Amino acid sequence: MFDPVIAPSGTLLGLLQRGRGDGTLHALTAPRPEALAALNHCVLRDPRHDWQVENRSLYYARLYLDLHGELDAVEAHLFDPEDVLDGDESRTGLALAVLGHLASYGRRDALALLRRYAAHGTNWAWALDELALRDDDAGLRALAAPVLARFATDAEGEAELAATVRDAFEPRPWRLWAEDPRESVATRVRAAQEAGSFDRWQRQMRPTGPRPGWSVRAVFEWAQQGFERGAALHVPAARCLGAVAGPEDRPEIVRAAQDGTDGARCTALRYLADTHDPDVLELIEGAVATGSAAVVEAAVGAFERMHSIAAVDRARGWARRPDPLGAAAGRVLACRGGVQDRDLVLAAIREAVRGEGPDAPTLWTLVDGAGRLGIACAAPVLRHIYRETASSHLRGRAARALAATDPSYATGFAVECLWDCEESTREIAARHAETGDTRVVERLRRLAADPAEEAEVQTAVRSRIGPGETAV
């Protein structure tokens, strides 16, 4: 999947792509055709950089409801001929998730689309998972025949069916079909369930990797084998060292950290950091200076895991370095530094925004640190990150930091955050938004009554609304 093209943050499309609360508020006041066109653009061209951690589906579903939006564009997208040619679930996953939420709100057209796509679409498993949470038994039973027809009845087809049943995210349809009164359906599904269980048991009986009695050298060799085939095994390998290494093995481990193979070097650095070896900080610094990109990444990661006073002191000395170790030092201070480190953390935030922009991965930790340390003068750059980042998770972190540093948050961004796509951001807003704004009172009441809203958000809402539904 290619990185999505995100429109400027000041446009309706850009706001909706980011999942900002202002996107909903602007869409509700814009001409309806324009708002629906922007909404369809987002749903049919997933704007998220990482769909596994960013939420959009409930946000877009609620906007469809508010706009009384038709689903013709979604239907055309799902059943476009491209669906057969492009089986990547990222093409249709967001649309299917939106339909799932709409079905839970009682939209029968969304439920019908899900049923039809589960029977005929390429990404049918996702649609089936959505239906497993929302459809009734009769609706799911009607899908048994078309779903099973996707799998040939030869040995290869039955093996594929067994793997699908074994790995199903939502098992309800398969359990229902295993008890289906049609013997042809029930017998085949039960056989697939049994085969999947047997395969799982076989894999558990054939573990790969380290065994009791392995030597330090054997662990390093295993880590290097993984490195050569593209599998980063230094983290589990370091845990293995913790089980097999004794004091007499330290010289060998230190040598590996200095000039071993990449797999061994990454493993040794991780192990020495986790065991608070007295020489590990020098070894980490040397690895950053001389190691490959993989070794540098492992060395930086090992350093960021350290909680010792010595590591924090060293971070203060490294924080201004213009390299990955300097960036890691800023994150260490953001997590474990004291008030005396506010200037260093603020400098790290500004440098990250200047150098990498408002979506820099390092900002996740640094923004949290700004809030933790109460860096009031960070508010301007935090507001910039909030507005411009395409990551709804980073925006939520910025909102939390602003709540701790910016006195204007309660009457400013907190209001729009009540409509944000991330439940954690809505929760922050529910706790801080100034209820003198009538929009806030009405929104809190709506969130309290919405069965699709997350429990944490509703708990926050109840802390602001009394039994008489009066915001306090």
Side-chain angles (χ1 to χ4, degrees), residues 58 66 105 139 153 163 176-177 239 260 268 278 291 294-295 299 326 342 355 371 375 396 445 449:
L58 180 59
D66 291 338
Y105 280 118
T153 55
L176 194 65
W177 298 341
R239 290 198 295 268
V295 170
R342 287 174 174 173
I375 308 175
R445 289 172 176 164

Side-chain angles (χ1 to χ4, degrees), residues 88 112 125 171 201 226 229 240 253 258 274 305 319 321 343 396-398 452:
D88 191 331
W201 174 79
R229 63 174 186 270
C240 292
I253 297 173
Q258 291 171 328
D274 288 350
R305 288 173 54 82
R321 290 175 55 135
D343 289 346
R397 288 170 181 254

Side-chain angles (χ1 to χ4, degrees), residues 4-153:
V5 176
I6 305 298
S9 61
T11 64
L12 174 58
L13 177 59
L15 290 170
L16 290 178
Q17 287 178 315
R18 289 168 172 81
R20 278 184 56 181
D22 260 4
T24 294
L25 297 174
H26 280 63
L28 295 177
T29 59
R32 184 170 176 272
E34 178 187 341
L36 283 174
L39 175 57
N40 286 329
H41 184 283
C42 294
V43 172
L44 308 186
R45 301 169 184 83
D46 193 336
R48 296 170 295 180
H49 286 280
D50 189 346
W51 62 267
Q52 293 180 306
V53 300
E54 293 189 47
N55 296 312
R56 292 291 189 281
S57 54
L58 180 59
Y59 172 84
Y60 294 141
R62 284 171 166 168
L63 190 51
Y64 271 116
L65 293 176
D66 291 338
L67 294 172
H68 304 288
E70 303 85 2
L71 300 178
D72 295 350
V74 176
E75 180 179 12
H77 176 74
L78 292 178
F79 296 100
D80 189 277
E82 187 180 357
D83 188 59
V84 178
L85 303 175
D86 182 2
D88 191 331
E89 60 184 11
S90 65
R91 195 190 80 85
T92 54
L94 178 58
L96 294 171
V98 169
L99 291 177
H101 284 298
L102 288 173
S104 70
Y105 280 118
R107 287 280 298 258
R108 301 296 299 179
D109 53 347
L111 184 64
L113 269 180
L114 280 173
R115 288 171 173 171
R116 182 180 161 204
Y117 190 83
H120 304 291
T122 298
N123 192 15
W124 62 271
W126 192 312
L128 186 61
D129 286 339
E130 297 292 339
L131 290 167
L133 298 174
R134 281 111 181 170
D135 208 353
D136 56 27
D137 287 356
L140 289 175
R141 286 196 181 98
L143 292 171
V147 168
L148 291 177
R150 295 175 179 276
F151 301 92
T153 55

Side-chain angles (χ1 to χ4, degrees), residues 273-276 280-281 301-313 331-332 335-337:
D274 288 350
T275 56
H276 309 289
V280 69
L281 292 169
F303 172 58
E304 288 191 63
R305 288 173 54 82
M306 298 181 68
H307 293 259
S308 65
I309 295 174
V312 175
D313 286 341
R331 294 191 293 270
V332 168
C335 292
R336 292 180 280 281

